[in-house]
Amino acid sequence: MTEVKVPSDAMPAMPVPRHVAIIMDGNGRWAAARGLPRVEGHRRGVEAVRRTVRAASDIGIQIVTIFSFSAENWARPASEIGELMGLLRRFIRNDLADLHKSNVRVRIIGEREGLDPEIGRLLNDAEELTRDNDGLTLVVAFNYGARQEIVRAARRLAEQVAAGALSPSDIDTDRLARFLDAPDLPDPDLIIRTSGEQRLSNFLLWQSAYSELVFVPTYWPDFDRGTLEAAIREYQQRERRFGGLVAKTGS
Ligand code: IPE
Ligand code: IPE
Ligand code: MG
């Protein structure tokens, strides 16, 4: 991914959200609207991921989290699941070297246990290869469900209590958050969902407590730099109060 950094005239320098999370929705409807099989929408969705990572990096966003496969998506037909897994494999095989060259650090959140071992290896490889990169962090939420993530954290706390290492009264929000899948990353400032649906679908329920939510009608395969910038402009109009009376900048 060789790219020339072009400063965007449309983007005011501040406040650009530090962490943008995206629910990439609408691949199937994009394809259906064109009389194409759903998988074609997923394929074009991968191109939108490439565009978005480049644009986010140019704009100065530090962290992008993308919801690529939910814990509930296993309810889809086996053929579609197979196609989605194939696309993930191909994405890592084809794009990892470019991402690495672009100094992108890849992180994965979601349940790794029980995954196809080859997929598990690819996810580990992506994290290992890019571990020391200090450009954009790309967090891929794969086999991810927020309730499941919180349950995993609660289980770890329960284990510590059972072992006598922790007292129940020591449990607070900070301590629980330390056992989430990427505890070192700041919460998303902005969550974008494409395709017009207005729900979180079990995405980052803990971390979204004070995120700004922007819903755009665009189907994910049509998402581009312009759509991203429009969502950021909407974010920039919002007043973030975090429960207080005075607006604060989240990033
Ligand atoms: C998002 O597009 C991709 C995944 C959830 C894996 P969808 O496949 O949900 O597309 P729609 O919502 O059916 O249009
Ligand atoms: C959410 O989209 C999951 C991903 C984008 C990976 P879905 O299409 O699965 O969500 P629902 O079922 O419409 O809520
Ligand atoms: Mg959907």
Side-chain angles (χ1 to χ4, degrees):
M1 217 185 319
T2 43
E3 67 196 48
V4 184
K5 296 239 171 187
V6 185
S8 167
D9 300 334
M11 272 293 95
M14 288 296 282
V16 168
R18 178 151 64 137
H19 181 178
V20 176
I22 308 178
I23 303 174
M24 312 185 289
D25 198 13
N27 294 352
R29 278 164 285 166
W30 181 94
R34 287 159 181 78
L36 298 168
R38 290 177 59 85
V39 65
E40 198 48 41
H42 296 315
R43 278 193 203 117
R44 296 290 290 261
V46 176
E47 288 169 28
V49 170
R50 294 187 184 111
R51 278 200 298 274
T52 302
V53 170
R54 268 198 299 271
S57 175
D58 288 349
I59 291 168
I61 296 164
Q62 293 172 25
I63 305 160
V64 173
T65 297
I66 52 174
F67 201 4
S68 74
F69 191 85
S70 79
E72 289 76 33
N73 284 146
W74 297 106
R76 296 193 179 194
S79 56
E80 179 164 345
I81 291 171
E83 287 159 352
L84 286 166
M85 296 298 144
L87 280 173
L88 177 80
R89 267 193 219 106
R90 251 168 285 150
F91 176 69
I92 296 180
R93 290 210 185 105
N94 297 338
D95 288 60
L96 185 58
D98 281 343
L99 290 169
H100 185 43
K101 235 183 284 163
S102 306
N103 198 23
V104 171
R105 178 168 182 195
V106 179
R107 305 271 302 261
I108 315 290
I109 57 173
E111 179 60 84
R112 302 282 180 101
E113 246 171 72
L115 286 181
D116 171 277
E118 195 208 337
I119 298 245
R121 256 193 315 276
L122 284 170
L123 297 178
N124 283 340
D125 290 351
E127 286 191 310
E128 282 306 315
L129 178 71
T130 62
R131 179 171 295 280
D132 296 324
N133 292 346
D134 58 6
L136 181 118
T137 296
L138 176 64
V139 184
V140 180
F142 181 77
N143 192 24
Y144 176 84
R147 286 180 169 177
Q148 293 85 337
E149 179 189 31
I150 294 166
V151 166
R152 283 196 295 279
R155 225 179 253 154
R156 300 270 300 277
L157 289 170
E159 282 163 7
Q160 292 201 336
V161 170
L166 190 70
S167 141
S169 60
D170 292 332
I171 297 173
D172 58 15
T173 52
D174 284 344
R175 212 177 269 272
L176 190 144
R178 269 185 242 161
F179 287 115
L180 296 174
D181 290 351
D184 52 316
L185 297 181
D187 291 340
D189 301 293
L190 167 63
I191 297 182
I192 302 169
R193 184 170 186 147
T194 60
S195 90
E197 303 299 345
Q198 302 193 7
R199 56 178 172 270
L200 287 174
S201 301
N202 203 14
F203 185 51
L204 301 179
L205 298 182
W206 178 281
Q207 300 87 338
S208 64
Y210 275 102
S211 303
E212 294 298 329
L213 309 182
V214 171
F215 300 100
V216 301
T218 313
Y219 290 145
W220 176 249
D222 289 329
F223 196 85
D224 61 10
R225 186 188 181 119
T227 335
L228 177 62
E229 290 185 343
I232 293 173
R233 276 195 295 276
E234 185 167 338
Y235 166 85
Q236 288 169 335
Q237 308 301 313
R238 305 278 178 88
E239 191 176 291
R240 303 186 75 190
R241 297 199 194 127
F242 298 94
L245 296 180
V246 191
K248 291 188 193 145
T249 43
S251 50

